[in-house]
Structure formats: structure tokens, C-alpha cells
Amino acid sequence: MSERLFLAVALTDEIRHGLAAFLGERTIRLPGRPTPPDNWHLTLRFLGSAEALQRDRVLEFLDEHLVVGPFTLGFVGLGAFPKPSRATVLWLGVGRGTDEVTAMAAVGEEAAISTGFAPEDRPFHPHLTLSRIRPPTNVAGLVEQVGPFPLKMEVDRLTVYRSHLSREGARYENVDEVLL
Ligand code: 2AM
């Protein structure tokens, strides 16, 4: 049976609560459909539908090739895809640790390709999705208004998530971890 998988950097509870408080204190009303704090993460590589054997092979590849060591992750302010004046995704950006997160994503990409997934066609841009917006909306004012999120966290693992989609939205289950 296949499952819907993605590779990510999980957030600590401290960051989850800290970011929720940071947004709350600034009384920021996120436009569109905000992602629940329990779902916050940094996607490294979305795999999509995978068989159990493929998951095992991705994990083996990561175990062997992921040479990034533990590092400190810092954040910056808000940004938007494709651009703030016509945003469909509002996100929090990554500052310190960008090189390490990018290196993790590159190994995730190699793992995906070597186990038969199609190559990703979009350039990697580390981000934490805060809201999905339809129709596209101008969030330039909001992006400028919110300064950098000051908390940092130590990253010592890559997390494999299984995504469960339902009418109530997505739920992400941590199914495996690869230590850095
Ligand atoms: P995001 O990182 O911008 O939020 C689980 O769905 C995660 O994988 C989400 O965080 C999502 O985007 C990311 N993702 C990347 N490509 C995706 C795709 N084609 N379909 C669904 N999610 C995708």
C-alpha cells in the first residue's frame, strides 16, 4: 500500500509555541488558510506517493549520504510565493542554517531520484509555510511590517513525515528520523 511522504526539518515545541506567540503578540491576522502550528515544519523534499520498499531505500540512501552535522537554525521575517503583491503562500524565511538546510534538501533530492521519483523542477527555497491564500492576495504591507523571528533552534535530525489528507485538512505523522 502506498503512502504520501515528505522529508522535512521538524520544529521543536519551543519554536512552535514561540512562533505562535510572536504572531499572536503582533496581532497578525494571517490571510487565507493558516497552517495549524502542529503542522509547521520546513519541507526539504516532497516525495508524494511511495511504497514501503521505496521508503526503506530512501532511508538507506540518507543514512549513507547525509553528511551534514547538527547545526543552529535561525529565522528571518515573512515572505511570499510567488511574490508578496500576488501571494498564494505566506511563509517565514530561514536565516542562519540556510546552507545546511539546502545541503539536506540536496541529499533528499538525490535520495528521491535514486529511488525512482521524478526530479523536482522548482529551485529549493527553505521556508515555513504559515498560510495558503486563494485567490492571490497582496501581502506586501504585512511582509514589511513583521520583523525577524528571534528564536533559534538546534537541528540534529531529518524527519520523514507521512501526510494524511482529509476534509479537516492535512495531518502529518512522524514515521522515521535520520540523525545528523
Ligand atoms: P510547503 O513546504 O510550501 O508547505 C506536505 O504537503 C509538504 O510538502 C508541504 O509543506 C508542502 O509545501 C510540501 N510540498 C511540496 N511540493 C508539494 C506537492 N506537489 N504537493 C503537496 N505538498 C507539497
Side-chain angles (χ1 to χ4, degrees):
M1 207 184 68
S2 73
E3 47 189 5
R4 186 179 159 92
L5 298 181
F6 65 97
L7 311 178
V9 173
L11 301 188
T12 59
D13 284 344
E14 186 192 353
I15 292 292
R16 232 176 266 289
H17 296 143
L19 179 55
F22 175 83
L23 297 172
E25 279 156 16
R26 284 157 185 74
T27 56
I28 291 162
R29 215 186 59 76
L30 296 172
R33 235 169 355 103
T35 51
D38 278 349
N39 282 4
W40 286 343
H41 62 270
L42 296 176
T43 303
L44 296 168
R45 177 45 149 105
F46 179 75
L47 296 173
S49 176
E51 301 295 331
L53 188 63
Q54 270 179 307
R55 163 147 62 105
D56 290 345
R57 284 167 56 197
V58 167
L59 278 163
E60 271 168 33
F61 188 99
L62 293 172
D63 265 332
E64 204 172 314
H65 294 90
L66 192 58
V67 292
V68 178
F71 63 96
T72 303
L73 182 73
F75 300 90
V76 288
L78 302 184
F81 293 143
K83 55 185 177 182
S85 59
R86 274 184 64 78
T88 57
V89 175
L90 178 71
W91 43 259
L92 183 74
V94 173
R96 187 168 164 188
T98 293
D99 288 351
E100 289 88 345
V101 172
T102 304
M104 290 172 79
V107 179
E109 178 67 18
E110 286 171 27
I113 290 173
S114 82
T115 51
F117 291 94
E120 173 62 69
D121 50 10
R122 291 181 298 190
F124 179 69
H125 186 289
H127 65 279
L128 191 166
T129 296
L130 293 173
S131 184
R132 299 181 204 282
I133 309 166
R134 287 282 185 279
T137 300
N138 185 348
V139 298
L142 180 62
V143 164
E144 288 198 0
Q145 172 201 331
V146 179
F149 172 55
L151 297 188
K152 295 190 171 38
M153 70 172 254
E154 299 308 312
V155 177
D156 66 356
R157 65 198 61 201
L158 177 154
T159 301
V160 182
Y161 281 107
R162 183 186 292 148
S163 164
H164 302 270
L165 300 179
S166 73
R167 271 164 190 251
E168 288 78 48
R171 183 173 62 79
Y172 303 139
E173 179 190 1
N174 174 341
V175 286
D176 254 306
E177 293 176 334
V178 182
L179 293 181
L180 302 182

